[in-house]
Amino acid sequence: MSDETTRADTDPAPPVPQGAVRLTVLGGDPAFSQALRRGGARLDDAEPGPKQASAALLAQFHYGLASARAGALGDVRLIAQLIAAARGEAQPVFWPQPDGTLVDAARPEVDPAGLPDLATATAYRQAHLTALARLLTEAETLVLPLGTPALLADPDGGQVFPRPPATLLAPDWPEARTTARDLDAGFARLWAGLQALNPALRLCLIVLPAPPGARAETRASHALLAARAADWARGTAQVRHDPVLDALVGRLLAPGGEADADRLASLVVRLCGGADLLDLVAGAAPDADTPDAATDRKRRAKDPERRARRKARAEARGKTAKVMCEDELLEAFSK
């Protein structure tokens, strides 16, 4: 980097409030991570950028856009492959470019300029995976924003990779299919890998909204993903997914934003951190910036009797109670 591009021309980061919710985020829209920070979250950062670099330059190379420089991800199969690589179970794949450089196929948008040779590219990726493994081992709550990105399928190795920007040369591989069976297998592998690294880790799944003007096929894929995420959460301890949280995140990321975006971001942070939806609707949950919030959240999350009572209550009320809660929340943020 030149002296001109490494000037410290950004304001210091705002102080983290006492009792802030600690979250780890992999992938997703960078605006989502920014909104979580505005809402009072303390986001883990496994790969902080050079302090002297400008904000624009850091963002160009994906520093600070999530908790690791892993790209947009979004698909459970991509995340499962990433976790397997962090555990040393997968070999890196690089795409040669016409100028002789190599691009990391698993995250082509992170370093679009490529790396000069195989030794450098391999060392660079290994440093990323080492930082990622440490991050996941120490994380408390991992937030995974999910979507339906276009993927390329390696017909020989069986892996999937993000479709690269048009400026990069990639193999002529077919587009990966997305079926319920594919998604289920990807999630099973993802969860097994996370459990091997950190058995106490809590997982929060968020299905991001389909892009504006998306084709019918894309909307159908999002609906399938949301249905599968709900099933994964129902059948797996320590995994959460809530369509209300999906809807609130969708509103937070909508073009133009919300009139009270900071308040909405604070609510999203508390839900991601494990706050109970019914408690928030009733106003009984502690504020995110109080010293006892994190302690109370952990205590409630570990109380099996409380969880069992909530589950029985929700099953008894059926879907009506859930819809009413969603309507109340969405109506509150429309005022």
Side-chain angles (χ1 to χ4, degrees):
M1 299 179 185
S2 67
D3 292 339
E4 182 179 358
T5 58
T6 56
R7 291 180 288 107
D9 56 1
T10 58
D11 295 330
V16 178
Q18 186 178 15
V21 178
R22 179 190 172 193
L23 300 173
T24 302
V25 180
L26 286 184
D29 186 339
F32 177 59
S33 293
Q34 294 169 3
L36 293 179
R37 291 189 179 96
R38 289 201 314 273
R42 177 169 69 87
L43 293 193
D44 293 329
D45 190 354
E47 299 177 275
K51 293 183 179 180
Q52 71 273 23
S54 69
L57 186 62
L58 291 174
Q60 181 182 349
F61 289 89
H62 284 237
Y63 285 105
L65 301 189
S67 294
R69 297 175 64 236
L73 296 173
D75 190 288
V76 289
R77 293 166 293 180
L78 279 179
I79 303 170
Q81 287 178 187
L82 177 63
I83 294 168
R87 298 179 61 216
E89 298 178 354
Q91 294 298 314
V93 175
F94 301 109
W95 290 335
Q97 299 301 299
D99 61 359
T101 60
L102 296 172
V103 169
D104 186 348
R107 48 177 192 162
E109 73 273 33
V110 172
D111 290 291
L115 294 162
D117 52 59
L118 182 59
T120 302
T122 302
Y124 197 62
R125 177 156 182 78
Q126 186 54 52
H128 161 65
L129 295 176
T130 299
L132 177 66
R134 186 185 310 114
L135 170 76
L136 295 176
T137 300
E138 299 173 354
E140 296 176 358
T141 299
L142 175 60
V143 180
L144 293 183
L146 302 178
T148 57
L151 304 179
L152 300 180
D154 180 356
D156 298 324
Q159 297 191 77
V160 294
F161 298 96
R163 183 181 294 280
T167 54
L168 296 180
L169 180 65
D172 187 20
W173 289 342
E175 186 166 317
R177 66 176 188 174
T178 300
T179 66
R181 180 177 296 180
D182 298 326
L183 294 175
D184 288 345
F187 177 79
R189 185 185 181 197
L190 180 159
W191 184 239
L194 288 175
Q195 285 286 284
L197 286 171
N198 185 351
L201 181 68
R202 298 188 298 272
L203 186 59
C204 176
L205 304 175
I206 296 177
V207 179
L208 298 175
R215 298 178 304 170
E217 296 89 336
T218 301
R219 294 196 299 273
S221 296
H222 272 76
L224 172 62
L225 175 61
R228 301 317 305 145
D231 280 351
W232 302 333
R234 280 193 293 267
T236 313
Q238 299 168 233
V239 177
R240 299 183 62 198
H241 170 258
D242 194 319
V244 174
L245 180 55
D246 291 350
L248 294 177
V249 171
R251 293 191 64 159
L252 190 60
L253 300 180
E258 288 284 331
D260 198 354
D262 288 346
R263 182 180 169 215
L264 177 55
S266 176
L267 176 59
V268 167
V269 166
R270 292 162 69 182
L271 290 173
C272 287
D276 186 84
L277 178 62
L278 296 178
D279 285 345
L280 293 182
V281 171
D287 292 336
D289 56 355
T290 59
D292 296 332
T295 301
D296 183 69
R297 186 166 49 253
K298 290 180 181 179
R299 177 185 61 77
R300 291 188 296 115
K302 293 180 180 180
D303 185 349
E305 294 183 1
R306 183 184 180 93
R307 293 171 63 92
R309 288 196 302 269
R310 286 204 185 107
K311 182 177 180 181
R313 180 176 58 187
E315 291 176 349
R317 292 181 178 176
K319 298 182 179 179
T320 303
K322 195 71 162 181
V323 172
M324 288 177 62
C325 291
E326 179 176 357
D327 289 344
E328 289 182 52
L329 283 172
L330 296 182
E331 182 180 356
F333 282 99
S334 298
K335 296 179 179 178

